[in-house]
Amino acid sequence: MASGSVISLIGAAAFVGALGVLIKYFGMVRLIAGYDSDRVADEEGLADFIGTNTLYVAVLILVVALIEYTSVFDGADAMWVVFIVGVVGLTARMILGARRYEESA
C-alpha cells in the first residue's frame, strides 16, 4: 500500500504536469508567474520553453515518488537534497532562459 507521502507526491506531480501541459500545448502563458504580454516578443517560444521545464519538474517529482514507494534507496535525506537541487536548478534555468523571449528595452 502506498504511503501518504507517495500519494501526495503523485498528486503534486499531476498538478505540476497539468500546468506544464496547459502552458506548453495550449499556450496558456498567463499561468507563468510574472508574465507581461507587453514585454514578451515570442509567446509560443516562451510557452514551449517554460512548459517543457515544468514537465521536467513533474517527472522529477514522479521519480522521487517512485523511489519513496519502492524504498530502493536508503539515503532518503540525500534523495531530497538531489530533488531540491534539481528543482532549484530547473527554476533558475526557467528564470534566466525566459529572458531570451522578451523584447529589449
Side-chain angles (χ1 to χ4, degrees), residues 72-105:
V72 179
F73 187 64
D74 290 335
D77 292 339
M79 175 190 65
W80 284 107
V81 169
V82 170
F83 171 75
I84 290 171
V85 168
V87 169
V88 169
L90 285 168
T91 302
R93 177 184 165 159
M94 284 189 259
I95 291 169
L96 297 174
R99 291 182 181 170
R100 70 180 150 200
Y101 300 101
E102 294 179 356
E103 294 176 347
S104 330

Side-chain angles (χ1 to χ4, degrees), residues 16 19 21 24 37 44 66 68 77 79 81 84 99:
V16 172
L19 288 175
V21 167
K24 181 175 174 76
S37 61
E44 289 179 19
L66 181 66
E68 278 276 322
D77 292 339
M79 175 190 65
V81 169
I84 290 171
R99 291 182 181 170

